[in-house]
Amino acid sequence: CTWGKFSGWAMARASQFVVLGSIVVLVNAALDGIHYREYLHASHQAYSRPPVAVVAQCVLAFFACTWGIVSSTPKLKPIRVTGSREMKNFDYYSALPAFVTFNHRSFR
């Protein structure tokens, strides 16, 4: 996928930087959460839920990291069938006697 001036290589490199940036944002969110818990402990307040900023950073980092990983993967190449298997279909393989089992219990 190319957007504007980005070529395939540049897009993959930008995606890797997005993944790295989202990891940095996740570490920052973790540190913010730790500091918030320390603040509550020092001020003798009860912990009810994480701050909105920490939750927003986690959600943003999750979606950015997901986008970066998905867009940095190369395009898939088709699996080519060679030789004698090229003309055979699924029915040929399902009818082989090695797959047929006669030692089973019948339904009554």
Side-chain angles (χ1 to χ4, degrees), residues 18-90:
V18 168
V19 170
L20 182 64
S22 64
I23 291 171
V24 169
V25 170
L26 272 176
V27 169
N28 184 39
L31 291 175
D32 285 347
I34 291 170
H35 288 289
Y36 179 70
R37 292 288 298 255
E38 289 175 355
Y39 167 74
L40 289 178
H41 183 69
S43 62
H44 302 292
Q45 296 178 4
Y47 178 77
S48 60
R49 60 181 171 210
V52 177
V54 171
V55 174
Q57 286 178 2
C58 289
V59 170
L60 175 77
F62 170 76
F63 285 116
C65 190
T66 303
W67 177 83
I69 289 172
V70 168
S71 63
S72 69
T73 57
K75 292 186 178 185
L76 298 176
K77 296 179 182 178
I79 299 172
R80 302 200 186 275
V81 179
T82 59
S84 63
R85 296 182 183 181
E86 190 171 339
M87 302 301 293
K88 296 176 183 169
N89 59 9
F90 182 74

